[in-house]
Amino acid sequence: MVLSPYLLSPLLLILSNIFMTFAWYAHLRDMAAKPWYLAAFLSWGIALCEYLLQVPANRIGFSVMSVAQLKIIQEVISLSVFVPFAIFYMNQPFKWDFVWAGLCMVGAVYFMFRG
């Protein structure tokens, strides 16, 4: 079964963003007492997994979407992954600002994909 680029690209971007979010922020909780350069090396290793998914995702998506459309999809996915990560992994409180930011992203998606 071959997935459509409209489905495969976002699926790969979701997985990529999970890795990205952990690479960028998990060290703040898990390695706070370690030197920054150890956190950076670990983050680079995690980021490699991100890039191994993100690069094919964008190449696949670019076959049917513009680069601007790919970017806004990535931003929506990034926020969609980040909010649960912040709340459940980093133990940050829920803020209504997450909802308002998400609604702004819906508007951005509309403008990138209209006509």
Side-chain angles (χ1 to χ4, degrees):
M1 176 178 166
V2 177
L3 293 178
S4 160
Y6 288 107
L7 185 58
L8 183 57
S9 179
L11 286 174
L12 290 172
L13 286 172
I14 290 167
L15 294 172
S16 167
N17 270 272
I18 292 168
F19 281 105
M20 178 198 70
T21 301
F22 275 89
W24 283 22
Y25 301 108
H27 64 88
L28 298 173
R29 183 187 99 169
D30 300 330
M31 299 187 74
K34 305 281 186 202
W36 71 267
Y37 53 86
L38 291 179
F41 283 119
L42 179 63
S43 292
W44 284 345
I46 296 169
L48 174 61
C49 297
E50 175 213 346
Y51 279 99
L52 291 173
L53 295 165
Q54 176 264 337
V55 170
N58 282 331
R59 285 180 174 229
I60 292 165
F62 192 61
S63 69
V64 294
M65 292 178 264
S66 72
V67 71
Q69 290 170 329
L70 284 169
K71 180 60 181 169
I72 200 61
I73 288 171
Q74 188 279 326
E75 293 299 337
V76 168
I77 291 169
S78 183
L79 184 63
S80 300
V81 168
F82 178 77
V83 171
F85 173 85
I87 293 169
F88 297 112
Y89 189 81
M90 297 297 290
N91 298 312
Q92 298 292 300
F94 171 81
K95 292 186 169 197
W96 279 101
D97 292 342
F98 295 148
V99 174
W100 310 139
L103 290 174
C104 288
M105 294 296 245
V106 169
V109 168
Y110 168 76
F111 287 112
M112 284 298 172
F113 282 89
R114 70 184 171 145

